[in-house]
Amino acid sequence: MYRYDEFDAAIVADRISEFRDQVNRRLSGELDEEAFRPLRLMNGVYLQLHAYMLRVCIPYGEINATQLRRLGAIAQRYDRGYGHFTTRQNIQFNWVALSDIPAVLEELAEVGMHAIQTSGNCIRNTTTDPLAGVAADEVEDPRPWAELIRQWSTFHPEFTFLPRKFKVAITGASHDRAAIRFHDIGLELAPIGGGEIGFKVFVGGGMGRTPRLGRLLRDDLPKQHLLSYIEAILRVYNRQGQRENKYKARIKILVDSLGVEAFRAEVDAEWEAMGRATIDVPEAEIARIQSYFVPQDSAPEDGGLAASRAITKRRASDPAFAGWLDANVHAHKVAGHAGVTISLKPAGGIPGDATTAQLETIADLAERYSKGLLRVTHEQNLLLPHVRQEDLPALWAALVAAGLETANVGRIGDIISCPGLDYCSLATARSIPIAQALSARFADPARLRDIGPITLNISGCINACGHHHAGNIGILGLEKTGNEAYQLVLGGAADETAAIARITGQGFSADAIVGAVETVVDTYIGLRQDGETFIETFRRVGVTPFKEALYGSVAA
């Protein structure tokens, strides 16, 4: 995983010292909030509705048990006993006193963590498949390339103040678990001909008030040219992106205005003119980084077959265990192993929140069952990537004892939600209470299994931090004549069949939105054919039957 070497340590120590001075000047009044704003954003600090918020970077979502325990200790010592995992595979603390933040950064640095590239108009933390390196359907592990981008982009002098924030995601599997089409740059490792693996490059995807799917820029980029090619993209964007209007400053707007063909021509011209050899790294360096990611499970477990038989027997006699296996346990590329998602979405809970006690318990489980390693998923859960199948019953029992056995991953209770108006100064409606009410309404395990795979996303404003555009069911919270209203959208998808959800019609009140979602689900169940998921039924029948169920007769 990510190596925090002596160079990182020196850079981060200098950065903390500098920021401590800036914080002291802000607290003394020497700096006003406007002058302090760009300084705090470079260190992951936001000013929310009620307090400053610190967002901590977890490079491509990889974290170890020691680091997770430290996050739990920080939550206990400096926050209110919990942290909140985000859709960029980071964690944020919502109640840290500004005066304490330099001390928090020092405690993070002791375990190889920091808050760089989590805010501001820079290249943000690159995200990837939470099953990277272990997924059974993987073409190639994307993590070394995410690490290469991290090293290249951190403090890149040309890209520290871009027109707007810039987000990159990578997948190494044909099934996209990283939502690459909704990123400024989306990268897919795939065969590019001649037996070679290279990159498909998508550009100009994004959420917000102008949702766009990334457009294919090229499908044959040799791996060794990754850095020079994305630097060419960044240079074109940095020169031509709009800076005077933040709502039109993302690269998707530039691609819209030029057209993808003209944008591609601009990038290719820049790429041809630049000194690629000074940017692309030699094969030896790529091999050095890849050596950081040596597979943890290099050989099948001898007891795999026996474990499989034992699990089959247990599955038949224990419906709760079977439901957990079906929803939370994932195929692994090495026989006898599995990836296991720990849902942070209990019925009635706040999506993505974890208490200090839970973080400590999960760290213990990672050490006992997953070689001390974990992943943060962009769905705001945690994942153990290296679990032996024979340990699954014991892990399940430990999760039950800790109240962490919720079997809803990929089901309607696995809600992605932004903090909304409970925390965010940009929000126009609350999202957390809606998520809590929905997860409570759909808490019955048998009902979850009957509904099957479905995604539900909630955003508290048009900025779409809850990714409602990409949800099979999406909810957008808005303010309407002084009241909170919730617009329902349907048909979005974040995977390789990426799609932007369609608006159903007039919004619903906070009291009515849960019932509206239930109407959508019941309509799907009434319409589905054998084996169809929600999104498959929606694509077959369209939005009209759902509109009719929600609003009455709809004109064709």
Side-chain angles (χ1 to χ4, degrees):
M1 63 179 288
Y2 163 60
R3 303 287 181 90
Y4 191 83
D5 61 20
E6 66 271 24
F7 298 104
D8 293 289
I11 290 170
V12 171
D14 289 345
R15 187 73 170 254
I16 295 170
S17 176
E18 180 182 71
F19 189 54
R20 181 182 292 281
D21 176 65
Q22 293 162 354
V23 168
N24 289 337
R25 291 161 61 199
R26 174 70 188 106
L27 292 172
S28 71
E30 184 181 346
L31 287 176
D32 61 20
E33 188 55 39
E34 184 177 355
F36 183 57
R37 183 175 183 275
L39 304 175
R40 62 174 167 78
L41 287 176
M42 293 177 71
N43 292 279
V45 180
Y46 287 77
L47 181 56
Q48 298 281 62
L49 269 181
H50 312 292
Y52 286 99
M53 177 268 281
L54 175 65
R55 184 177 293 155
V56 179
C57 183
I58 301 175
Y60 32 92
E62 286 227 341
I63 189 169
N64 62 41
T66 300
Q67 292 170 328
L68 196 68
R69 279 200 192 87
R70 181 57 59 91
L71 293 175
I74 287 170
Q76 186 67 33
R77 190 172 303 129
Y78 299 103
D79 202 283
R80 295 186 177 180
Y82 63 91
H84 176 76
F85 289 99
T86 78
T87 57
R88 290 214 67 73
Q89 299 178 298
N90 295 318
I91 188 171
Q92 59 193 42
F93 297 107
N94 290 310
W95 298 100
V96 183
L98 179 60
S99 57
D100 287 335
I101 288 179
V104 173
L105 293 175
E106 287 175 345
E107 294 197 24
L108 290 170
E110 290 173 356
V111 294
M113 303 186 78
H114 54 73
I116 297 166
Q117 291 180 284
T118 62
S119 56
N121 293 336
C122 63
I123 301 171
R124 301 288 186 89
N125 181 31
T126 297
T127 53
T128 191
D129 184 350
L131 288 168
V134 303
D137 61 346
E138 192 169 80
V139 173
E140 183 175 318
D141 187 348
R143 293 173 301 164
W145 302 100
E147 171 61 13
L148 185 66
I149 293 172
R150 187 196 69 81
Q151 294 185 18
W152 162 80
S153 63
T154 303
F155 304 135
H156 195 303
E158 209 173 325
F159 306 134
T160 302
F161 296 101
L162 291 164
R164 280 289 280 147
K165 57 189 172 185
F166 201 90
K167 299 177 179 178
V168 182
I170 309 178
T171 180
S174 55
H175 178 41
D176 180 9
R177 289 174 287 262
I180 64 169
R181 296 287 300 280
F182 282 100
H183 282 73
D184 296 297
I185 291 179
L187 301 168
E188 178 187 347
L189 283 156
I192 60 172
E196 185 179 354
I197 300 297
F199 285 102
K200 290 182 181 177
V201 181
F202 297 88
V203 67
M207 303 274 186
R209 63 187 62 218
T210 314
R212 291 287 185 274
L213 296 180
R215 273 90 10 130
L216 183 64
L217 208 55
R218 63 181 300 163
D219 60 3
D220 60 350
L221 181 68
K223 290 186 292 187
Q224 64 268 26
H225 296 311
L226 175 65
L227 286 191
S228 63
Y229 193 71
I230 61 177
E231 178 147 338
I233 295 171
L234 264 296
R235 286 186 180 185
V236 171
Y237 169 55
N238 207 17
R239 278 200 306 268
Q240 300 189 33
Q242 294 192 42
R243 292 177 182 272
E244 67 278 8
N245 183 345
K246 73 175 186 178
Y247 300 117
K248 296 184 177 180
R250 298 292 291 267
I251 193 171
K252 60 188 175 185
I253 304 299
L254 178 61
V255 176
D256 282 355
S257 65
L258 293 177
V260 68
E261 296 297 333
F263 184 81
R264 181 185 296 115
E266 294 264 3
V267 170
D268 288 346
E270 179 68 35
W271 196 42
E272 288 298 322
M274 69 197 308
R276 297 186 204 176
T278 63
I279 300 170
D280 288 324
V281 299
E283 289 186 12
E285 176 60 12
I286 293 172
R288 186 185 71 85
I289 293 174
Q290 287 174 326
S291 72
Y292 293 173
F293 300 90
V294 174
Q296 295 294 312
D297 302 298
S298 55
E301 288 291 320
D302 293 338
L305 184 58
S308 178
R309 288 172 176 164
I311 289 168
T312 300
K313 186 176 179 181
R314 174 76 180 272
R315 173 196 283 276
S317 62
D318 188 340
F321 180 68
W324 177 75
L325 287 177
D326 292 340
N328 295 37
V329 179
H330 316 286
H332 199 288
K333 66 171 55 175
V334 178
H337 292 78
V340 176
T341 297
I342 299 173
S343 173
L344 300 179
K345 319 283 181 61
I350 298 175
D353 273 15
T355 66
T356 294
Q358 288 173 330
L359 293 172
E360 290 175 348
T361 296
I362 295 170
D364 291 344
L365 295 176
E367 288 181 335
R368 196 179 312 158
Y369 297 113
S370 185
K371 302 180 185 300
L373 298 173
L374 306 99
R375 311 280 174 81
V376 181
T377 77
H378 90 270
E379 293 92 353
Q380 303 174 284
N381 292 314
L382 292 172
L383 184 144
L384 303 177
H386 304 292
V387 180
R388 295 187 305 173
Q389 288 186 8
E390 66 185 55
D391 288 334
L392 288 173
L395 173 59
W396 156 253
L399 290 170
V400 170
L404 290 165
E405 79 281 15
T406 307
N408 63 359
V409 174
R411 307 299 195 259
I412 197 166
D414 189 12
I415 299 168
I416 292 177
S417 174
C418 73
L421 198 53
D422 286 292
Y423 294 98
C424 180
S425 57
L426 301 176
T428 49
R430 292 170 295 168
S431 354
I432 289 174
I434 303 301
Q436 291 175 296
L438 280 165
S439 66
R441 179 71 66 90
F442 291 97
D444 178 53
R447 192 181 187 194
L448 284 177
R449 286 197 296 275
D450 179 46
I451 296 169
I454 190 170
T455 59
L456 200 166
N457 299 41
I458 307 175
S459 300
C461 76
I462 195 66
N463 291 303
C465 294
H467 300 181
H468 66 277
H469 296 300
N472 296 168
I473 300 174
I475 297 173
L476 167 62
L478 297 166
E479 185 275 332
K480 189 174 182 181
T481 61
N483 297 309
E484 292 167 290
Y486 295 88
Q487 192 175 73
L488 196 56
V489 298
L490 300 176
D495 62 10
E496 66 277 11
T497 67
I500 296 170
R502 297 175 59 183
I503 297 172
T504 57
Q506 189 175 0
F508 297 87
S509 69
D511 292 334
I513 185 63
V514 174
V517 171
E518 193 158 36
T519 297
V520 168
V521 171
D522 289 344
T523 303
Y524 150 64
I525 290 173
L527 291 169
R528 70 182 171 189
Q529 297 179 352
D530 290 345
E532 272 188 339
T533 63
F534 175 86
I535 194 65
E536 288 168 344
T537 297
F538 179 87
R539 287 172 177 168
R540 178 172 56 80
V541 304
V543 73
T544 300
F546 296 94
K547 282 187 173 184
E548 290 175 345
L550 289 165
Y551 304 105
S553 180
V554 176

